[in-house]
Amino acid sequence: MDICYCYHGKQVCEPSYSWGPGIKEQYKIMFIHAGRGVYQIDGKTFHLQQGEGFIVYDNILCYMEADPTDPWIYSWIAFSGNGVIPLFEQAHISPLHPVFRYSPLFWFDSYLDEFSACDVNHSTSELRRQSILFRSLADWIDMLVATSQLLPEVRPKDAYIRKAVEFIRMNYNQRVSISEVAHIVGIDRVYLSVLFKEILNVSPQQYLLNLRMDKAGDLLDNSQLSITEVSYSVGYSDPLLFSKMFKKVKGLSPSHFRSRLKRDSSMGLSSLD
């Protein structure tokens, strides 16, 4: 199974402490041990408390904020790999349904102690951390399945949107039509558009466009790919059309967007001198 341990941790948050909006490079399972807070992902807001948890997805914009009077304490385990999404699907977890409740009998702290006890200089430490990761994930899945009545009920509408969003996110760099998405989901194209507007407040076309431009912005910022290469990487075979759509969404051409990022970065570094 292609899942690799990255890191783990625990944090006692200050009142109103926040992170984001931003993008993480790994998946994270967050367990709330005390207090309250707000989690936002993909345009949805969740008000969470002790005994609940949530998933941070890689490369999906999210935001976290602790309650001003009862700030949360949470722990997490971060990992990456192509096997993560199928694992989440076993627990009916997705970007549209990233929240779960967990049993008080599921003592995640014991796994944190095991991770921390691994000597990073030991020749088998990486194998030991992988072993702990797989055991903790297996127990987490078993816990969710055993207490499935605690999971949020998924409405048919939400299930359609979840399937559509997952397909779009997996294929945004290909030639994707909304008719194809509707066919994959198993509903009429018009009804799919109605559901996107109702639940996500955007059309499926706009959702796909925004996703592509967000991914393009990441590539312009974090890679040396040419504008043409970025264009192909996010599903556009015509670089001129890509540049036109990028400017429409981001307000700048791809080249100006990249040069501004470099300028802002250099100004930030010079201010530290």
Side-chain angles (χ1 to χ4, degrees):
M1 181 178 290
D2 181 17
I3 300 178
C4 296
Y5 167 85
C6 295
Y7 57 90
H8 67 281
K10 187 172 184 177
Q11 183 170 355
V12 179
C13 295
E14 296 292 330
S16 298
Y17 168 83
S18 65
W19 184 93
I23 293 175
K24 297 287 189 180
E25 295 183 353
Q26 300 88 19
Y27 298 92
K28 296 173 75 173
I29 303 179
M30 311 288 293
F31 297 90
I32 304 170
H33 301 284
R36 300 172 181 271
V38 172
Y39 178 53
Q40 296 177 344
I41 180 174
D42 241 11
K44 300 190 74 172
T45 299
F46 301 90
H47 297 270
L48 304 173
Q49 60 185 347
Q50 178 182 3
E52 296 178 325
F54 58 96
I55 304 298
V56 175
Y57 279 76
D58 75 330
N59 293 315
I60 298 183
L61 194 69
C62 68
Y63 175 79
M64 294 173 273
E65 181 177 333
D67 188 84
T69 59
D70 187 18
W72 51 16
I73 300 172
Y74 50 56
S75 60
W76 65 85
I77 179 173
F79 44 91
S80 61
N82 295 327
V84 176
I85 295 300
L87 181 78
F88 286 166
E89 288 176 347
Q90 295 182 46
H92 307 291
I93 294 289
S94 75
L96 287 176
H97 297 279
V99 175
F100 60 90
R101 298 185 181 94
Y102 65 95
S103 166
L105 298 178
F106 184 72
W107 296 110
F108 184 69
D109 277 355
S110 64
Y111 291 113
L112 292 180
D113 293 339
E114 287 190 59
F115 281 124
S116 299
C118 286
D119 184 351
V120 295
N121 296 317
H122 197 281
S123 60
T124 62
S125 60
E126 184 175 347
L127 287 174
R128 293 180 185 278
R129 285 195 294 266
Q130 282 294 108
S131 172
I132 300 167
L133 172 65
F134 286 138
R135 285 192 287 112
S136 64
L137 291 177
D139 284 351
W140 177 65
I141 292 291
D142 287 344
M143 179 272 298
L144 291 183
V145 172
T147 59
S148 58
Q149 71 275 9
L150 297 178
L151 293 173
E153 183 178 351
V154 179
R155 299 176 300 166
K157 291 181 179 181
D158 293 330
Y160 290 143
I161 289 294
R162 180 179 66 187
K163 190 171 183 179
V165 166
E166 289 174 352
F167 179 80
I168 290 173
R169 286 192 169 277
M170 291 179 63
N171 296 277
Y172 71 90
N173 57 347
Q174 309 293 327
R175 292 178 61 90
V176 178
S177 70
I178 303 308
S179 295
E180 181 184 6
V181 177
H183 176 73
I184 293 295
V185 174
I187 59 176
D188 179 78
R189 171 181 172 150
V190 174
Y191 185 49
L192 178 67
S193 297
V194 170
L195 292 183
F196 262 79
K197 281 284 190 179
E198 176 184 333
I199 297 175
L200 299 181
N201 203 33
V202 294
S203 67
Q205 294 91 337
Q206 190 64 46
Y207 183 90
L208 174 59
L209 177 62
N210 291 344
L211 175 62
R212 282 173 164 169
M213 296 307 111
D214 286 343
K215 296 293 186 181
D218 290 340
L219 291 174
L220 291 168
D221 185 19
N222 300 307
S223 78
Q224 299 300 317
L225 295 178
S226 68
I227 303 300
T228 297
E229 289 170 330
V230 171
S231 171
Y232 278 96
S233 297
V234 297
Y236 284 87
S237 58
D238 183 350
L240 292 178
L241 176 60
F242 162 72
S243 296
K244 177 181 177 181
M245 301 310 294
F246 188 90
K247 185 173 183 179
K248 179 180 179 181
V249 173
K250 299 295 186 181
L252 293 170
S253 68
S255 57
H256 287 163
F257 182 87
R258 172 173 273 171
S259 62
R260 189 188 70 174
L261 288 173
K262 290 182 178 179
R263 184 176 66 251
D264 291 347
S265 177
S266 62
M267 290 177 63
L269 290 174
S270 63
S271 66
L272 297 176
D273 295 339

